[in-house]
Amino acid sequence: MTITEGLKELKLIEKKLKKNCTLLEKYSSQPSNEKPYFTSEQEQKKEIDAILQSSEDLVKNYLEIHRKINVTNLKTMVEINGHTYSIHSLIQIRRKLASLIVGVYQSLNDNNYYKSASQFKNSQNIDLTVTRFYEEKQKQSKIRHWEDFYNSIDGRLETINATTQLIEE
């Protein structure tokens, strides 16, 4: 089973568990004057037990597949732009870290100058210029680097997930 197949199986299990909830709500009780959904009360109880057991088995299967995906993501290394990362690291970069580091570089700006200068200008009537303690060219280069890296991760992971077999441990 590949990572992609495992992820699809997890979604299918979630769907089956939700369906079991619906069935149990329907079959678990009814007014005493109605006939059971199944041939007898005993048969209905057996069906409820079967659905409960099925749900327990689905949870075990889900956890096993999820564990295999996690092990595979931690142990499978991928090369992008001359650097090697685990699938897990690439997922973390894609989910959070890329946008955070881009935000860090975007924080290099003139906002503080404009806040301070507007207060000072109003009281002193002096011409002020911006003093930057960073290189704008380097800032833009780093932002582009992280945005390009972020964009390259999705395509790479899609290919890797479709071709990488889950590690059996």
Side-chain angles (χ1 to χ4, degrees):
M1 176 183 296
T2 65
I3 295 172
T4 300
E5 292 166 341
L7 292 170
K8 286 179 184 177
E9 185 66 21
L10 293 180
K11 286 181 184 175
L12 182 61
I13 290 171
E14 290 170 11
K15 190 175 177 181
K16 287 178 182 179
L17 286 167
K18 287 176 184 175
K19 181 181 178 196
N20 283 356
C21 288
T22 303
L23 292 174
L24 288 169
E25 285 182 8
K26 181 178 179 181
Y27 300 148
S28 63
S29 66
Q30 67 186 47
S32 59
N33 64 340
E34 290 184 9
K35 290 174 80 176
Y37 288 98
F38 297 89
T39 56
S40 68
E41 286 184 22
Q42 197 63 18
E43 286 299 313
Q44 191 152 330
K45 286 179 182 178
K46 282 183 184 177
E47 182 62 24
I48 289 170
D49 288 343
I51 294 170
L52 291 171
Q53 184 58 53
S54 166
S55 298
E56 293 283 338
D57 295 342
L58 287 168
V59 167
K60 284 181 187 174
N61 191 24
Y62 185 99
L63 291 173
E64 181 60 19
I65 293 169
H66 198 271
R67 185 191 66 75
K68 289 178 182 179
I69 290 171
N70 286 339
V71 168
T72 304
N73 285 348
L74 286 168
K75 291 189 172 187
T76 303
M77 303 308 280
V78 179
E79 187 176 323
I80 296 181
N81 301 332
H83 298 281
T84 304
Y85 303 91
S86 67
I87 294 173
H88 174 77
S89 293
L90 291 174
I91 291 169
Q92 295 308 308
I93 291 167
R94 190 185 75 198
R95 284 184 183 161
K96 288 185 180 182
L97 295 175
S99 63
L100 288 172
I101 193 69
V102 166
V104 166
Y105 283 104
Q106 288 174 336
S107 296
L108 296 171
N109 58 50
D110 299 341
N111 291 350
N112 193 47
Y113 162 78
Y114 290 113
K115 285 179 196 172
S116 298
S118 66
Q119 291 172 344
F120 192 76
K121 275 183 173 180
N122 292 342
S123 63
Q124 301 284 330
N125 212 11
I126 297 175
D127 258 352
L128 298 175
T129 59
V130 177
T131 303
R132 289 185 185 94
F133 301 100
Y134 65 93
E135 295 294 325
E136 183 67 23
K137 193 174 184 178
Q138 182 183 15
K139 167 191 162 182
Q140 294 303 325
S141 173
K142 287 291 192 175
I143 290 172
R144 264 192 312 281
H145 163 77
W146 281 103
E147 287 174 342
D148 291 348
F149 184 46
Y150 173 85
N151 292 329
S152 70
I153 290 173
D154 276 339
R156 192 78 167 103
L157 283 179
E158 193 174 307
T159 302
I160 290 163
N161 287 347
T163 58
T164 302
Q165 294 293 317
L166 293 179
I167 294 174
E168 301 282 335
E169 281 190 350

